C-alpha cells in the first residue's frame, strides 16, 4: 500500500505540475482569438493601406498577398494581428512588425504618418515591391524602428535627413532603388547601426571619413553607385566590420588601409571595378581574416608581387582580374603558393597568364577549387593539370587555345558552367560521359571557334540547360538526340552550316531558340506551340518555306520573332501577339493588304504596362546568357548584343504588302524602330503615326505612298532617322528640327515634295533637289 500511495502522490503531483505549466504556458504564449488588436491600430493600418496600390497578378512577384489585401485579410471588422504581414506582441497586442515584402504593391508613398499610432513598431519591411517617388519624410517619425528595409523598389530622390531621428536603427537597407545624392551626414548619428546597405542606386560624392562614428557597423554595401574620391582607410578597421562591398563605383587614388595595429575582423572586401591606381599596399597582408577579396580592375600600372597575399591563410575567393599589371602571372606558381591552398575561387581574367603543361606538377593545385576564370589571358594551350574534382565553373573564353577540347572535362561531376567561346578549338576529344546524367543542369558556351563536322553526339548525354554553339562551322543535321525536354532553356546554333529541318522534340521548356544563318529547310515545326515559355524565336537567313506562323500567337511569353530572309509567303491575317516586342519578317514573300485594325491586339508595343524590372534585370536573358538580335535601325544593320526589355521594333520591309498602311499602327506608341520599306503600300501616310512618341527610326522608302508627309510627325521628338524616298509624296516637307537634320537622300524620288525645309536640307548637295531631278 505504501508503494501505491507513493505512486498516487507522484501522479497527483505530476498532474498538478502539468496543470500549472499549461496554465502559465497559455498565459505567456496564447494569443486571444478576439480583441487583441486595438481599434486605433487597425484603423492606422487600413489608412496606411490606402497609401499604396495593389498590382494585378501579372506583376512578377508573388500575388497571394495582394489577393488577401483586396479581400478578406485586411478588413475593418477582423482581427488585425491575424492579417498577413502583421506581427503583434502576444501579450500586449501591440503591432511590432509590418512585413509587406514582395507583395505586388506599388505607387507613391506620400506619407507613413498613419503608422505613428503604432508606438511599438520595430520592423518595417517594404522590400521587393514597385514603390516609387521620394522616401516619405514622415518615416522619421517611427522612432522605435530597429529594422527598415526599402530595397528592390523604385524610390528616387535623396535620403531624407529626418532619418537622424531613428536612433534605434540597427538595420537600414536601401539597396536596388534609384536614390541619388550624397550620404547625408545625419545618417552618421545612427550609432546603433550594424547593417547599412545602399548598393545599386545613384549615390554620388565621397564616402564620409567620419563613417567611423558608426562604431557597431559590421556590414556596409555601397556598390554599383557613383561614389568618388579616396577610400576612407578607417572603414576597414572598425572593430565590428565584417563585410565591405564598394565595387562598381568611381573611387580613385591608392588603396590606403591606414595604420593597422591589430588584426581587423574584416572577412569580405569587394573593391573591384573602380579607378584605384598604384601599388597594392603591403598592409593588406594584415587583414588575416579575409575570406573574400576582390581587387578587379585595379590599375597597378607596374609589376605585382603575389606574395603580398601570403599571410591571408583564410582566403577562399580572390579576384585580381584586369589589373593592368606588367607582370606575367604563372598559373602553376600561383596555385602552388601555400596561401592559395584553401582557395575555392580564383579570377585572373584580363591578365597575362602563362600555362605550362610540359612537365608534371610536383605539387598539384588545390583540390578545393570550384571556380576558375581565365578569360582573355592570352592562353594558347589548354591547362591540362587543372582538373580538381570539385570544379563547378570554368571560363577559358577569349583566348587563343587551339586543338581539341579534352574529353576529361566531362568527367568532372560538379562542373555546370563551361565557357570555351572565342578560341580556336577545332573539335572534341572522345568523351566519357558515364555518370553524368544525374548532374545539375549545365551551361555550355562554345561559340566563335573553328569547330567543324557534325555536332558531337556526346552532347546528348550531357544535362544541358544552356547550349551555345553559334559562329562555328558545324554541318549536318541538328541531332535528333538533343531531347532535353525538361531542362534545355536556351539553344543557340546560329551562323553554322546546318541543314535539314528543325527537330520536333526539343522545344518543351525552351526560352530561346536561335538557328539563324544556317541552311535549314522545310516548315516551322508545329510542335513549337508546346513551348509555353518560349520568348525568343530566331530563324533568320535560312531556306524555310512556309506561310506566316499565326499559331505562334498562342505562345503566352513570345517577345522576339525573327523570320527575316527566308521564303515565307502568303497573306498576314489579323492576329494577336500580346507580349511581342520585336518582330522582323523582312525579306520574305509576304503579300496582300493589312487590315486597318491589324495592330489592335499587339499590347506590348502599345504600352509598357506596370511591370517593374529590377536594375540588374534590364536585359532579356539571365545572369549567364543574354539574348541578341540583328536589326535594321536608322538605315544601318546593327547587332544588339543585349536586348533591353523596353526595346520595341517592327520590320516588315522587303515583302510585297499592298494597300494602305493600317491606321492602327498609331497604337504602337512604344515602338522605337518602324521599317515598312520596299513594299507596295499605297495611299496616305497615316496621321496616327504622330502618336508613336517613342519612335527613333522610321523607314517608309520604296513604296507607292501618296499625299503629304503628316505634320503630326513634327511632334516626335526622339525621331532622329527617317526615310521617305522613292514614293509619290507631294507638298511641303515639315519644318521641324528633326526633319531639317535628315539627309537629302531621305526625300529623293518624290517629285512633288517642296518647301523651304527641303531646300535647306539639300542646299549643300552638289546635285539638284529630288523634285528638280525627276522633273527634268
Amino acid at each position: 500500500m505504501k508503494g501505491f500511495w507513493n505512486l498516487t502522490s507522484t501522479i497527483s503531483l505530476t498532474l498538478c505540475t502539468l496543470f500549472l505549466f499549461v496554465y502559465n504556458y497559455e498565459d505567456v504564449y496564447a494569443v486571444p482569438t478576439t480583441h487583441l488588436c486595438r481599434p486605433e491600430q487597425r484603423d492606422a493600418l487600413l489608412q496606411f493601406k490606402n497609401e499604396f496600390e495593389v498590382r494585378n497578378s501579372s506583376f512578377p512577384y508573388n500575388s497571394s498577398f495582394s489577393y488577401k489585401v483586396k479581400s478578406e485579410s485586411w478588413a475593418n471588422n477582423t482581427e488585425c494581428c491575424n492579417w498577413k504581414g502583421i506581427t503583434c506582441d502576444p501579450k500586449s497586442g501591440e503591432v511590432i512588425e509590418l512585413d509587406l515584402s514582395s507583395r505586388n504593391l506599388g505607387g507613391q508613398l506620400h506619407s507613413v504618418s498613419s503608422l505613428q499610432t503604432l508606438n511599438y513598431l520595430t520592423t518595417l519591411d517594404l522590400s521587393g515591391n514597385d514603390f516609387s517617388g521620394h522616401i516619405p519624410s514622415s518615416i522619421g517619425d517611427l522612432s522605435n524602428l530597429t529594422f527598415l528595409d526599402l530595397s528592390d523598389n523604385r524610390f528616387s530622390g535623396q535620403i531624407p535627413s529626418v532619418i537622424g531621428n531613428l536612433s534605434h536603427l540597427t538595420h537600414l537597407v536601401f539597396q536596388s532603388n534609384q536614390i541619388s545624392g550624397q550620404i547625408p551626414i545625419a545618417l552618421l548619428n545612427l550609432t546603433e547601426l550594424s547593417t547599412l546597405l545602399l548598393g545599386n542606386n545613384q549615390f554620388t560624392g565621397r564616402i564620409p571619413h567620419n563613417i567611423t562614428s558608426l562604431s557597431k557597423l559590421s556590414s556596409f554595401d555601397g556598390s554599383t553607385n557613383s561614389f568618388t574620391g579616396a577610400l576612407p582607410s578607417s572603414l576597414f578597421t572598425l572593430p565590428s566590420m565584417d563585410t565591405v562591398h564598394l565595387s562598381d563605383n568611381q573611387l580613385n587614388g591608392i588603396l590606403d588601409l591606414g595604420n593597422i595595429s591589430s588584426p581587423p575582423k574584416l572577412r569580405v572586401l569587394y573593391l573591384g571595378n573602380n579607378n584605384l591606381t598604384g601599388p597594392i599596399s603591403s598592409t593588406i597582408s594584415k587583414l588575416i581574416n579575409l575570406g573574400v577579396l576582390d581587387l578587379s580592375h585595379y590599375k597597378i600600372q607596374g609589376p605585382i608581387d603575389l606574395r603580398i597575399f601570403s599571410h591571408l591563410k583564410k582566403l577562399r575567393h580572390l579576384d585580381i582580374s584586369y589589373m593592368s599589371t606588367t607582370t606575367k602571372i604563372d598559373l602553376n606558381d600561383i596555385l602552388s603558393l601555400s596561401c592559395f591552398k584553401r582557395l575555392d575561387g580564383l579570377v585572373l581574367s584580363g591578365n597575362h597568364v602563362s600555362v605550362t603543361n610540359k612537365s608534371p606538377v610536383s605539387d598539384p593545385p588545390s583540390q578545393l577549387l570550384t571556380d576558375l576564370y581565365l578569360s582573355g589571358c592570352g592562353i594558347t594551350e589548354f591547362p591540362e593539370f587543372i582538373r580538381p574534382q570539385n570544379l563547378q565553373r570554368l571560363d577559358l573564353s577569349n583566348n587563343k587555345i587551339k586543338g581539341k577540347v579534352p574529353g576529361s572535362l566531362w568527367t568532372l561531376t560538379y562542373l555546370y558552367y563551361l565557357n570555351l567561346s572565342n578560341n580556336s578549338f577545332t573539335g572534341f576529344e572522345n568523351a566519357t560521359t558515364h555518370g553524368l546524367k544525374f548532374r545539375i543542369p549545365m551551361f555550355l558556351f562554345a561559340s566563335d571557334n573553328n569547330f567543324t563536322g557534325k555536332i558531337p553526339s556526346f552532347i546528348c548525354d550531357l544535362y544541358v540547360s544552356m547550349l551555345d554553339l553559334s559562329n562555328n562551322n558545324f554541318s549536318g543535321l541538328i541531332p535528333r538526340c538533343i531531347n532535353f525536354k525538361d531542362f534545355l532553356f536556351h539553344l543557340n546554333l546560329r551562323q553554322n552550316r546546318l541543314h535539314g529541318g528543325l527537330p520536333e522534340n526539343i522545344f518543351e521548356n525552351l526560352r530561346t531558340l536561335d538557328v539563324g544563318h544556317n541552311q535549314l529547310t522545310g516548315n516551322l515545326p508545329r510542335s513549337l506551340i508546346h513551348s509555353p515559355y518560349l520568348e525568343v524565336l530566331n530563324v533568320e537567313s535560312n531556306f524555310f518555306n512556309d506561310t506566316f506562323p499565326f499559331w505562334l500567337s498562342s505562345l503566352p511569353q513570345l517577345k522576339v520573332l525573327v523570320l527575316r530572309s527566308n521564303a515565307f509567303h502568303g497573306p498576314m491575317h489579323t492576329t494577336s501577339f500580346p507580349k511581342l516586342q520585336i518582330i522582323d519578317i523582312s525579306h520574305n514573300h509576304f503579300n496582300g493588304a493589312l487590315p486597318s485594325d491589324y495592330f489592335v491586339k499587339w499590347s506590348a508595343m502599345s504600352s509598357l504596362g506596370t511591370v517593374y524590372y529590377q536594375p540588374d534585370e534590364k536585359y532579356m536573358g539571365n545572369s549567364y546568357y543574354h539574348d541578341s538580335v540583328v536589326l535594321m535601325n536608322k538605315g544601318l544593320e546593327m547587332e544588339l548584343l543585349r536586348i533591353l526589355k523596353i526595346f520595341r521594333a517592327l520590320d516588315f520591309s522587303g515583302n510585297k504588302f499592298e494597300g494602305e498602311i493600317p491606321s492602327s499602327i498609331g497604337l504602337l506608341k512604344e515602338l522605337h524602330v518602324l521599317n515598312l520599306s520596299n513594299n507596295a503600300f499605297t495611299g496616305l501616310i497615316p496621321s496616327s503615326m504622330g502618336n508613336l512618341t517613342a519612335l527613333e527610326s522610321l523607314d517608309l522608302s520604296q513604296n507607292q505612298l501618296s499625299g503629304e508627309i503628316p505634320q503630326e510627325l513634327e511632334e516626335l521628338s526622339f525621331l532622329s532617322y527617317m526615310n521617305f524616298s522613292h514614293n509619290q509624296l507631294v507638298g511641303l516637307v515639315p519644318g521641324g528640327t528633326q526633319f531639317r537634320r535628315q539627309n537629302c537622300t531621305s526625300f529623293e524620288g518624290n517629285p512633288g515634295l517642296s518647301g523651304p525645309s527641303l531646300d535647306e536640307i539639300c542646299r549643300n548637295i552638289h546635285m539638284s533637289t529630288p523634285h528638280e531631278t525627276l522633273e527634268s
Side-chain angles (χ1 to χ4, degrees), residues 42 195 258 319 722 770:
R42 181 171 56 244
T195 299
D319 186 346
M722 58 188 85

Side-chain angles (χ1 to χ4, degrees), residues 209-268:
H209 282 275
N210 55 343
I211 197 170
T212 51
S213 62
L214 305 179
S215 58
K216 297 182 180 180
L217 199 62
S218 63
S219 181
F220 176 57
D221 183 359
S223 63
T224 317
N225 282 288
S226 297
F227 288 121
T228 56
L231 280 164
S233 58
S234 55
L235 184 65
F236 311 114
T237 56
L238 285 171
S240 300
M241 187 61 78
D242 176 87
T243 301
V244 174
H245 198 335
L246 286 170
S247 60
D248 299 292
N249 279 285
Q250 300 171 25
L251 299 168
N252 52 43
I254 63 172
L255 176 58
D256 181 11
L257 298 177
N259 184 20
I260 300 177
S261 55
S262 59
K265 294 182 179 180
L266 193 65
R267 294 188 310 111
V268 178

Side-chain angles (χ1 to χ4, degrees), residues 369-372 374 381-397 401-421 423 425 427-437 439-440 442-446 449 451 456 458-459 461-464:
L369 203 63
T370 60
D371 303 325
L372 181 59
L374 298 171
E381 54 184 328
F382 195 93
E384 292 286 344
F385 66 93
I386 301 180
R387 294 177 185 170
Q389 289 302 307
N390 290 322
L391 200 63
Q392 298 176 14
R393 290 177 286 267
L394 176 61
D395 189 349
L396 294 173
S397 63
I401 307 175
K402 302 177 181 178
K404 294 187 174 183
V405 178
S408 56
L409 273 179
W410 318 115
T411 65
L412 301 178
T413 307
Y414 302 105
L415 186 67
Y416 73 87
Y417 176 85
L418 177 61
N419 196 337
L420 305 174
S421 61
N423 277 284
F425 287 112
F428 294 87
E429 287 182 358
N430 291 332
T432 300
T433 58
H434 177 70
L436 296 187
K437 293 189 177 182
R439 295 171 34 160
I440 55 178
M442 185 179 191
F443 295 82
L444 175 56
F445 297 84
N449 278 282
F451 293 117
F458 81 87
I459 285 182
D461 295 326
L462 300 177
Y463 194 43
V464 179

Side-chain angles (χ1 to χ4, degrees), residues 289-323:
N289 289 305
L290 271 184
V292 177
L293 176 60
D294 177 7
L295 297 177
S296 59
H297 296 271
Y298 192 111
K299 299 175 179 62
I300 291 182
Q301 299 173 338
I304 179 176
D305 186 354
L306 296 176
R307 288 175 295 182
I308 62 172
F309 303 120
S310 60
H311 294 286
L312 307 183
K313 305 296 185 182
K314 297 181 180 180
L315 202 61
R316 300 295 300 271
H317 181 92
L318 176 64
D319 186 346
I320 52 173
S321 59
Y322 302 98
M323 293 199 71

Side-chain angles (χ1 to χ4, degrees), residues 517 540 564 630-639:
H517 293 274
E540 68 174 312
R564 175 183 182 180
V630 176
L631 290 171
M632 288 298 298
N633 186 3
K634 301 181 181 179
L636 299 173
E637 189 174 83
M638 296 183 180
E639 181 177 12

